[in-house]
Amino acid sequence: MTWGQTLRSAFESIVERRMRSALTVLGILIGIAAVILTVGLGEGAQGRVNSAIASLGTNMLIVTPGSASTGGVQGGLGSASTLTLADAQALASPVDCPDVAEVAPVTQHSFTLTAGSQNWTAPVTGTTPAYLSVRDRQVTSGQSITETDVRTEARVALVGTEVAQSLFGTSSPVGRTMQIGNVPFSIVGELNAAGASASTNQDNVVLVPITTAQAELFSQAGPYAGSLSAILLSAHSSTTMSLAYQEADSLLLQLHHVTNPLQADFTITPQTSLLSTASTISKTLTILLAGVAAIALLVGGIGVMNIMLVSVSERVKEIGLRKALGATPATILRQFLAEATALGLLGGVLGVGLGLAGALGIPHVIAGAAVTVSVPAIAGSVLVAAVIGLVFGVYPASRAARLSPIEALRSE
Amino acid sequence: MALIELVGVSKIYGVGGVEVHALRSVDLAVGGGEYVAIMGQSGSGKSTLMHILGCLDVPSSGAYHLDGADVGTMDEIDLADVRNRRIGFVFQQFHLLGRLPAWRNVELPLMYMGIRSRQRRRERAEKALEAVGLADRSAHRPTELSGGQQQRVAIARALVTDPAIILADEPTGNLASDQAEEILTIFEGMHSEGRTVVLITHEPDVGGRARRLVRIRDGRIISDEPAASGVGSAG
Ligand SMILES: Nc1ncnc2c1ncn2[C@@H]1O[C@H](COP(=O)(O)OP(=O)(O)OP(=O)(O)O)[C@@H](O)[C@H]1O
Ligand SMILES: [Mg+2]
């Protein structure tokens, strides 16, 4: 038989066995759509979790004064006085630390804020504009503090949403004035709401230029006014974190004239808690995802396998008859190959269609659900369906085609 | 040399378990144009012999020469060709594909023969159906036909490639006597056209209408002689 005849006869055979064909197509369709949707939902969720974690700044390194071994870190921010603005400027050099993206020196102290009759206590951070990108914060209204503000020791401040609400209620804080301690600052912008993590409330913050903080605020606050609480560094990506760490470490050792790294008077801490949380969540999601997808594929695959096996075994007789009339095993095989391929293609196309429609539709139906269209999931599920269809549709047929016609005719 | 020649053919079923010796060293030669009836009790090995003659099954031992060629050395493609062009097989149970109309059943061998034109296949199928008196039933499905009509469709299918040999395993076994008569007339017509006809039967009067009668018991040929009407030549 020619391929044309084979295709025609495959088509006829599919139409003649409408019910069986429909079930086969349905099995493939549902398996594929299920994989696309489960993987899509899983990846969507993973994407959201990852971006939520990224917003906390996972590429961040924190340099704090004092060495871990002498308890400097436990002593609290500002208790040792070894980090300076000069250190921060050196770290910002792209020659010495090419893998350090941004550097934000930080001095921090808690102050009472006053606006009109309202009082509020919040940590006030003196820093540079780089702080915003290192911590991945945005100014949602008004504008950021600028390098000029830093240079001119301007009395300007950015406030978090909680501070803004506590002092000004629902009205915008931008353009208003507040007292930090007894120094008046004008508020130039409001930060985005970032939520609270385990250790800090990121919305209860005030940011001012570091120079202003040192000159006007912290000189009254303690003996180490000239020194920094910390220097925040960001790497270009989470993969270059360790390079950035090494560069910062060796540069600071050199600047502080320390030869034995064990005697370093500073400590560099990667955001390990966040990182490990991120990777744990990510790993859990990945396992969950792979499991769900595997089960969906398995169920779909077993469905297709059953229908294929049944439909071939009830046709062994027909195979025997066709052989008795002069069909070669190759001819028989081609016929079953054409049928399995046609059913597989139909089921595959419909399944991908349904999966994509679901991926587009689900977020409209379930608020907050994100479905990522995953090309590997589509390719993988179609491939598995094709392989299962061929293996369980064509392999038993090829075995039947090798029987003698009479053996095949006798089978029930 | 005979058209069909079996030498020492045995068939053992169930090798390894309970062995059934369906054929025990059968020698049989059938010349071109003969009309042979095979008779014997149920279980004597008639169908087994016929399947081997039709290249539908292979002997456990012994040799089968068809028109001088050793069937035992043929590959699947050669065998398919023999079944397709040289031999027309008529089964007791008809073995029609129930979802296809009569003419589509009859054209199947022509598809495997490689005739590409559907028109051409249909013409030949209709002609074969006409030869068995079913010209007006070509669009009917087997379920819409009587037993005798179904068997005639099966005969048309066996005839459609114009094979030299027609093998029939109890072609009238499932039929009422008037229908059986029609079928036998068709076989006699094929014989008179010069085809070699071998058929199995239980009924003595059917056997008596052949030219040669082979009796088989317990897998052995016990007699081989001209039939009562015996005009034909043996061997
Ligand atoms: N596939 C098989 N497996 C095992 N034994 C078989 C098989 N086919 C036939 N036999 C046995 O071989 C013997 C011959 O069977 P065969 O079908 O050739 O008999 P038969 O003469 O055609 O009988 P009937 O007149 O009833 O059709 C029987 O004993 C039968 O049981
Ligand atoms: Mg029999």
Side-chain angles (χ1 to χ4, degrees), chain A residues 283-297:
Chain A
K283 234 180 257 167
T284 312
L285 276 176
T286 308
I287 292 170
L288 175 85
L289 236 153
V292 170
I295 290 171
L297 261 190

Side-chain angles (χ1 to χ4, degrees), chain A residues 30-31 34-35 38-39 287-303:
Chain A
I30 287 182
V35 170
T38 50
V39 172
I287 292 170
L288 175 85
L289 236 153
V292 170
I295 290 171
L297 261 190
L298 192 73
V299 171
I302 288 176

Side-chain angles (χ1 to χ4, degrees), chain B:
Chain B
M1 184 178 271
L3 179 60
I4 290 172
E5 191 166 23
L6 296 185
V7 183
V9 165
S10 299
K11 179 73 183 181
I12 305 171
Y13 288 113
V15 174
V18 182
E19 295 192 354
V20 176
H21 291 255
L23 290 178
R24 301 166 194 264
S25 193
V26 168
D27 299 319
L28 178 70
V30 179
E34 277 199 80
Y35 185 5
V36 184
I38 296 175
M39 294 190 71
Q41 284 178 334
S42 183
S44 55
K46 305 181 297 292
S47 294
T48 305
L49 175 63
M50 204 61 132
H51 295 151
I52 289 171
L53 290 182
C55 298
L56 303 181
D57 209 350
V58 286
S60 305
S61 62
Y64 176 14
H65 292 273
L66 181 67
D67 208 2
D70 184 354
V71 172
T73 62
M74 291 185 181
D75 62 15
E76 280 279 4
I77 295 171
D78 296 334
L79 285 173
D81 191 62
V82 167
R83 294 172 197 136
N84 186 243
R85 294 166 194 260
R86 316 276 299 270
I87 299 172
F89 204 101
V90 181
F91 299 92
Q92 184 175 355
Q93 305 86 346
F94 319 146
H95 287 318
L96 298 173
L97 293 181
R99 54 205 162 77
L100 299 182
W103 81 267
R104 293 288 311 276
N105 268 285
V106 174
E107 74 151 357
L108 283 174
L110 299 177
M111 294 184 74
Y112 297 126
M113 201 174 170
I115 295 180
R116 281 157 181 261
S117 154
R118 189 177 160 89
Q119 184 57 36
R120 181 93 196 81
R121 293 198 304 270
R122 179 157 200 164
E123 279 166 17
R124 280 184 70 168
E126 304 272 11
K127 227 176 88 196
L129 281 169
E130 201 182 312
V132 298
L134 282 179
D136 54 340
R137 290 285 189 276
S138 83
H140 289 62
R141 287 170 187 239
T143 47
E144 300 158 354
L145 298 173
S146 75
Q149 288 170 330
Q150 289 183 49
Q151 189 60 299
R152 280 190 277 160
V153 173
I155 293 172
R157 185 181 62 192
L159 274 177
V160 76
T161 58
D162 196 21
I165 303 168
I166 297 285
L167 304 177
D169 189 348
E170 295 194 51
T172 61
N174 283 347
L175 303 178
S177 60
D178 55 332
Q179 292 182 326
E181 183 55 39
E182 287 175 9
I183 302 292
L184 287 176
T185 313
I186 295 171
F187 280 109
E188 269 154 26
M190 293 194 275
H191 168 59
S192 62
E193 283 169 6
R195 290 182 221 277
T196 306
V197 178
V198 181
L199 60 77
I200 294 176
T201 183
H202 266 119
E203 295 142 78
D205 53 325
V206 174
R209 287 168 68 165
R211 304 294 180 270
R212 177 181 166 196
L213 186 59
V214 173
R215 286 181 190 280
I216 180 167
R217 179 190 292 163
D218 258 350
R220 279 185 238 275
I221 293 179
I222 54 166
S223 78
D224 184 350
E225 57 201 18
S229 64
V231 203
S233 58

